[in-house]
Each structure stands twice: as C-alpha cells, then as structure tokens.
Amino acid sequence: KAGVTQTPRYLIKTRGQQVTLSCSPISGHRSVSWYQQTPGQGLQFLFEYFSETQRNKGNFPGRFSGRQFSNSRSEMNVSTLELGDSALYLCASSPGNHGNEQFFGPGTRLTVL
Amino acid sequence: EDKVVQSPLSLVVHEGDTVTLNCSYEVTNFRSLLWYKQEKKAPTFLFMLTSSGIEKKSGRLSSILDKKELSSILNITATQTGDSAIYLCAVETMAGTASKLTFGTGTRLQVTL
C-alpha cells in the first residue's frame, strides 16, 4: 500500500498571504489528522477529519481551517499568514476506529517571510 | 489542558549502551499511549500501549505503561548509530466519539561510535 502523501513538500510565502496544503491518506483510511511541528512547541494537534466531518479540533485560531473530500483526501488552509506559522505541517491517517495508530506523511515545510 | 512531558530532552550515548526514555502525562479520558521515532521526516510508529504493566517488544526496543504512575518508558538496548532520532511520546484521549493525540516535545537521542 502506498503511504500517506503530502503536497507540496516545501513552500515559501510572505506575511498576509494564504496557503493550502494537501494530504492523501493511505487507501482505505477514513481519518486524517493535521499537526503543526515547531522546534519550540513540538507536535501540536490542529484538527481531525473523518468521513468529511471535522471530528476534533485543537487550540489554533480560526485562520487555520481544513476540509475532507469524499475520497478521504484532506486539505488544510491557513489564511493571513504570520511569521510564527513557519513550521512543518504533518498529516496522519488512520482507519478511523479509535485505538488505531496514526501513520504520518513526510510533511510540508512552510516558511513565511 | 492535556499535558505530555518527556525526559530527558536530549541524550548522547555510545554505541552499545542501553538507554531509557521517559514519558509522563496528565490527561483527561486516557485511551492509549504511543511511541514514535522521527528521523528527518515523518514520525514512524513504534508501539501502542493500552494496558498497564504489559511490555511490548520489537527487537532491541521495548516499552511499558504504568497507568498508576501515569507514565511510560521506552528502552533501547545495544544502541546503534541508526537509533539516532527524536523519540516522541503521544497520548490518545477521547472526547465523546472523537479522539486526539497529544505529543510530548520529544527526546533527541544521539548514538556515537
């Protein structure tokens, strides 16, 4: 089975712009979770989507949003970018039944200038 | 707020040494504890622990959960340079039908010759 894929792998944006990141889960997986990883804060949970519905949400401002499509692919959008949004954004997929480990994609490295 | 703390933050050992990494947590509605290894990119899954006192093993790595002490340890015996990585501990918690992972900031392990 192919693993979790994320596009793009690297992205450079300027303050005030918006960005959309994409995640394709492992075939058959219905849950996609998004995380932000920074050196100071570690991995922080953004949100989880399951069957096109946001099932859980972390403590991030409304500038961070996401959606999931019927084929389980997910996108994450960040509007009005700030310098502090520079981070590695990871998505993880799982079958969706609680208790299953999450499989991570390679991440998108976002740099905001 | 759910909290996961790992110690030590970083560790340098010689090849062949045995290391013990610690993870403690304060969370609501605990479901499981997971260990991941992160080298340059995506975290890769190592163990999932749900029951206290039962050791999980995979080769030179082993882990055990102590639900009374709200902690877990990850042991690596006969370390090799390929074990150099960041080791992440995550706790899965439930909120209604949704679950989420809260990660610690990780332990950076460097194994030298």
Side-chain angles (χ1 to χ4, degrees), chain A residues 1-66:
Chain A
K1 270 190 183 176
V4 179
T5 58
Q6 289 186 247
T7 57
R9 295 294 311 282
Y10 302 92
L11 205 48
I12 299 175
K13 292 284 189 179
T14 55
R15 277 181 300 174
Q17 287 187 307
Q18 74 161 17
V19 67
T20 299
L21 313 181
S22 180
C23 172
S24 292
I26 291 171
S27 177
H29 283 191
R30 295 166 65 193
S31 168
V32 174
S33 296
W34 287 90
Y35 297 86
Q36 180 195 66
Q37 187 174 31
T38 57
Q41 299 293 322
L43 262 159
Q44 292 187 288
F45 173 74
L46 280 154
F47 27 66
E48 183 216 3
Y49 285 87
F50 178 80
S51 292
E52 301 179 67
T53 301
Q54 187 179 87
R55 191 160 69 169
N56 207 346
K57 190 177 187 308
N59 297 323
F60 277 80
R63 300 185 296 108
F64 292 81
S65 63

Side-chain angles (χ1 to χ4, degrees), chain B residues 1-22:
Chain B
E1 188 180 328
D2 296 334
K3 193 193 297 190
V4 178
V5 178
Q6 292 186 246
S7 63
L9 290 180
S10 66
L11 197 52
V12 180
V13 300
H14 290 111
E15 204 172 42
D17 287 350
T18 292
V19 298
T20 298
L21 310 183
N22 300 285

